[in-house]
């Protein structure tokens, strides 16, 4: 058995991915082209339910385009969970709007619908639920609250591929936009990249234009027959958020393996669940009937009875050559958000408490069974 360093995360890249990237390099079409288009079509048919999908160069870019497309602007408020990555909130600032931070539910660590409802003002225009670790938020409640208050819903689904909520894949619910991430440590990867998904053709059309410099492809296409190929019109000051074919080449094959990746992750999570239920740990919440956890993360929380601190636990794990991480340092604790909005820990008691004791341990398909046993033994040694 290999006792070398076991990283917190490691991508599983197969020969098909490598061959497809080489094909792109040899063809000479390396930026956005046929492979990005194929990846979009494959992704949309994977989700089904008449969704449209467009590739972007990160989920952060996708969230920015999503908020822009639903019309968020200066003076608007957008409700976000504090228990997330800074992307979820920073995109709101890109548009001159203000993020409003809310606490999470005790077990799932997903956005608390009660806190969401309490945070709504007459400036609130949208809400960004985040499906933490790969378990869906209470979307029935969130959708009902959003409808009642005329709010747009943009799902940050960076962890939620493939997550099922009440029989429906995340990406197909009755919300406005869903954004997935293919960053290197996510459940499937393109190195860097993301996918913006919507059933609304107007949102897709707007996001497509803003994705590439505000160039109106529709106008271009319409007049194509009468004008030379070099002609285009810029209709907005857009962004540069397109995904290169070299990245899409990886995504095409990762997507084909996504369901088998999920089954492997779930098997590994079940092994952790079985062993750890005897230890003084709070384990991640499981998916309800008719739902599926994507198991992007496996976060454990040290019980109050445990004497070792979270920080020392991570140091002990690294002494045993095992990488861990913390998801998340709540946004209200980061200077940028804390200082701008004068945020106090007392407003987020659940997130505060979770953050003190939480550790994400390795869970990914490139791990062997022996790697997983190493993690289990290390945790037993530290806690028993
Ligand atoms: C990873 C992550 C993002 C950002 O994804 P990128 O593709 O790196 O931009 C956004 N939100 C959450 C919750 C994430 O974990």
């Amino acid at each position: 058995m290999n006792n070398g360093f076991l990283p917190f995360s490691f991508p599983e890249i197969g020969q098909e991915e490598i061959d497809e990237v080489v094909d792109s390099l040899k063809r000479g079409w390396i930026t956005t082209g046929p492979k990005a288009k194929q990846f979009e079509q494959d992704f949309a048919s994977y989700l089904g339910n008449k969704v449209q999908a467009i590739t972007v160069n990160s989920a952060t870019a996708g969230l920015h385009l999503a908020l822009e497309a639903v019309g968020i602007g200066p003076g608007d408020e957008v409700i976000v969970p504090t228990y997330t990555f800074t992307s979820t909130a920073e995109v709101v600032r890109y548009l001159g709007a203000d993020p409003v931070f809310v606490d999470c539910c005790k077990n799932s660590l997903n956005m608390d619908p009660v806190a969401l409802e309490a945070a709504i003002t007459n400036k609130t225009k949208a809400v960004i639920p985040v499906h933490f670790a790969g378990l869906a938020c209470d979307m029935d409640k969130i959708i009902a609250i959003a409808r009642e208050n005329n709010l747009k819903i943009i799902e940050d689904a960076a962890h939620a591929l493939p997550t099922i909520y009440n029989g429906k894949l995340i990406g197909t619910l009755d919300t406005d936009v869903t954004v997935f991430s293919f960053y290197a440590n996510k459940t499937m990867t393109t190195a860097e990249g993301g996918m913006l998904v919507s059933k609304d053709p107007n949102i897709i059309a707007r996001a497509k234009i803003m994705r590439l410099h505000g160039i109106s492809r529709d106008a271009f296409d319409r007049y194509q027959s009468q004008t030379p190929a070099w002609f285009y019109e810029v209709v907005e000051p857009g962004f540069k958020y397109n995904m290169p074919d070299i990245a899409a080449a990886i995504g095409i094959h990762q997507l084909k393996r996504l369901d088998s990746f999920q089954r492997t992750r779930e098997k590994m999570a079940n092994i952790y669940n079985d062993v750890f239920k005897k230890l003084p740990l709070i384990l991640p919440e499981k998916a309800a009937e008719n739902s599926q956890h994507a198991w992007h993360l496996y976060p454990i929380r040290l019980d109050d009875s445990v004497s070792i601190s979270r920080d020392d636990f991570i140091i002990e794990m690294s002494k045993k050559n095992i990488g861990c991480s913390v998801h998340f340092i709540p946004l209200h604790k980061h200077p940028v958000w804390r200082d701008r909005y004068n945020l106090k820990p007392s407003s987020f008691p659940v997130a505060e408490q979770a953050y003190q004791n939480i550790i994400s341990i390795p869970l990914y398909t490139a791990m062997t069974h022996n790697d997983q046993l190493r993690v289990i033994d290390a945790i037993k040694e530290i806690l028993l």
Side-chain angles (χ1 to χ4, degrees):
M1 199 167 97
N2 181 4
N3 281 319
F5 183 69
L6 181 71
F8 169 67
S9 166
F10 196 86
E12 184 166 335
I13 306 290
Q15 193 58 45
E16 282 99 341
E17 284 90 328
I18 294 168
D19 291 343
E20 197 78 41
V21 171
V22 170
D23 180 67
S24 187
L25 293 170
K26 283 189 173 159
R27 257 197 230 217
W29 201 296
I30 54 178
T31 188
T32 312
K35 292 196 200 298
K37 187 150 218 108
Q38 190 193 329
F39 185 31
E40 288 173 345
Q41 286 165 354
D42 292 353
F43 199 89
S45 42
Y46 175 82
L47 292 180
N49 291 281
K50 302 200 169 90
V51 303
Q52 285 182 273
I54 69 165
T55 49
V56 282
N57 60 7
S58 72
T60 308
L63 289 168
H64 184 193
L65 291 175
L67 289 177
E68 202 277 339
V70 302
I72 300 303
D76 294 341
E77 290 178 356
V78 176
I79 298 176
V80 303
T82 189
Y83 217 76
T84 183
F85 187 59
T86 196
S87 290
T88 317
E90 73 191 15
V91 292
V92 177
R93 289 293 307 135
Y94 291 179
L95 293 157
D98 292 307
V100 173
F101 301 85
V102 298
D103 206 358
C104 49
C105 300
K106 214 169 170 173
N107 296 328
S108 64
L109 303 181
N110 277 327
M111 175 182 272
D112 180 356
V114 175
L116 162 65
E117 194 156 29
I120 294 170
T121 72
N122 56 12
K123 292 182 184 164
T124 312
K125 294 287 158 56
V127 53
I128 313 182
V130 178
H131 308 294
F132 176 68
L135 183 70
C137 293
D138 189 343
M139 291 306 291
D140 283 346
K141 281 197 190 135
I142 291 174
I143 290 170
I145 293 167
R147 285 233 178 92
E148 210 167 287
N149 294 278
N150 210 12
L151 309 182
K152 302 289 184 187
I153 306 174
I154 290 99
E155 294 173 73
D156 178 339
H159 299 186
L161 188 62
T163 293
I164 296 175
Y165 176 76
N166 278 341
K168 288 183 179 161
L169 276 167
I170 290 299
T172 68
L173 304 185
D174 276 330
T175 60
D176 296 278
V177 194
T178 303
V179 180
F180 297 95
S181 173
F182 309 129
Y183 181 66
N185 69 4
K186 299 289 159 61
T187 54
M188 63 167 268
T189 188
T190 61
E192 298 282 357
M195 194 74 80
L196 181 155
V197 166
S198 179
K199 291 178 192 167
D200 182 340
N202 294 323
I203 288 176
I204 293 289
R206 176 72 185 180
K208 264 187 182 168
I209 289 171
M210 297 308 282
R211 175 178 63 170
L212 198 72
H213 302 300
I215 293 172
S216 171
R217 287 275 173 196
D218 282 349
F220 177 71
D221 290 341
R222 214 168 334 128
Y223 294 109
Q224 192 163 232
S225 55
Q226 290 140 37
T227 51
W230 52 263
F231 184 76
Y232 58 85
E233 280 182 311
V234 178
V235 295
E236 290 287 350
F239 311 107
K240 185 63 166 57
Y241 283 166
N242 55 304
M243 174 187 279
D245 266 20
I246 291 174
I250 305 171
I252 287 167
H253 294 281
Q254 291 271 295
L255 181 64
K256 289 183 182 151
R257 303 161 76 195
L258 184 61
D259 287 331
S260 100
F261 283 168
Q262 192 281 335
R263 284 191 294 275
T264 304
R265 283 177 180 275
E266 186 157 284
K267 243 183 245 164
M268 297 174 79
N270 286 336
I271 291 172
Y272 278 150
N273 288 341
D274 271 358
V275 180
F276 293 158
K277 68 180 180 222
K278 295 161 206 137
L279 299 181
L281 294 171
I282 301 167
L283 302 184
E285 180 155 276
K286 293 175 194 165
E289 258 321 271
N290 215 11
S291 297
Q292 173 176 286
H293 201 310
W295 293 111
H296 164 53
L297 299 174
Y298 193 91
I300 56 174
R301 284 183 266 172
L302 303 176
D303 191 85
D304 287 343
S305 65
V306 174
S307 53
I308 190 168
S309 73
R310 187 271 313 279
D311 295 5
D312 288 341
F313 182 96
I314 293 175
I315 292 169
E316 288 304 311
M317 289 294 277
S318 76
K319 282 187 193 156
K320 293 173 188 296
N321 262 338
I322 296 170
C324 291
S325 189
V326 173
H327 299 89
F328 285 103
I329 304 166
L331 296 185
H332 69 264
K333 300 185 85 71
H334 290 287
V336 58
W337 308 119
R338 182 193 62 208
D339 298 347
R340 182 178 183 98
Y341 297 107
N342 195 21
L343 303 174
K344 301 275 185 273
S346 57
S347 306
F348 309 96
V350 182
E352 277 289 320
Q353 164 99 39
Y355 168 62
Q356 297 306 320
N357 304 321
I358 205 160
I359 306 121
S360 297
I361 62 172
L363 176 89
Y364 47 95
T365 58
M367 273 169 80
T368 65
H369 185 58
N370 275 343
D371 291 335
Q372 190 174 16
L373 294 179
R374 259 181 74 193
V375 177
I376 289 169
D377 287 345
I379 291 174
K380 279 184 173 167
E381 270 176 46
I382 294 168
L383 292 181
L384 295 179

